[in-house]
Amino acid sequence: LQTKHDALLKSNKELQEALSNSRGEISISTEALKAFEKQVSDLQCRLSELDKSYRTKVSALEKSDAALNASRMEISDLRKLLRQSQSALESLSFHQGEATSRLHEQ
């Protein structure tokens, strides 16, 4: 009976040690989980910042692109106006030459 009692005490002691070890491991695991959750939270914040920065840059690029397209259209319009002006100037010069020639004939 004593032997069984000693064996039960020893078994009980081993179980208590195993339980204590398990609690320690759970504590370590809980701390590791908290650290991981903090890392995830930090990464989510950083991702949010990067996303905001990206959207701001895309918006600025879109505005710049729109301004560039407007400038291209203005340049195109100015080129057309320049061609029209040159054509009108050539026509005026031609008519002035004809008028001068007629004056000299008279």
Side-chain angles (χ1 to χ4, degrees):
L1 191 59
Q2 184 65 33
T3 305
K4 283 188 178 182
H5 180 50
D6 289 343
L8 285 174
L9 285 176
K10 182 179 178 186
S11 177
N12 187 31
K13 184 177 179 183
E14 289 171 355
L15 287 173
Q16 286 179 351
E17 285 177 11
L19 181 59
S20 177
N21 290 340
S22 293
R23 285 183 181 147
E25 290 172 7
I26 289 171
S27 176
I28 291 169
S29 296
T30 301
E31 291 302 315
L33 180 59
K34 286 179 184 176
F36 178 73
E37 288 172 343
K38 170 98 172 76
Q39 288 177 334
V40 168
S41 177
D42 291 347
L43 288 173
Q44 286 173 332
C45 288
R46 181 68 180 131
L47 181 61
S48 178
E49 291 169 2
L50 288 172
D51 184 58
K52 183 178 178 183
S53 174
Y54 170 78
R55 290 178 190 275
T56 299
K57 288 176 183 175
V58 166
S59 177
L61 185 60
E62 287 171 347
K63 289 176 185 175
S64 177
D65 191 44
L68 180 60
N69 286 336
S71 294
R72 285 181 178 150
M73 291 190 70
E74 286 179 32
I75 289 169
S76 177
D77 291 346
L78 288 171
R79 284 181 178 155
K80 287 177 187 174
L81 185 58
L82 179 60
R83 283 192 295 271
Q84 291 172 352
S85 297
Q86 287 172 334
S87 178
L89 187 57
E90 288 170 3
S91 178
L92 184 63
S93 180
F94 174 77
H95 291 302
Q96 183 182 10
E98 282 188 344
T100 303
S101 179
R102 284 186 195 147
L103 276 175
H104 283 68
E105 288 176 3
Q106 293 176 356

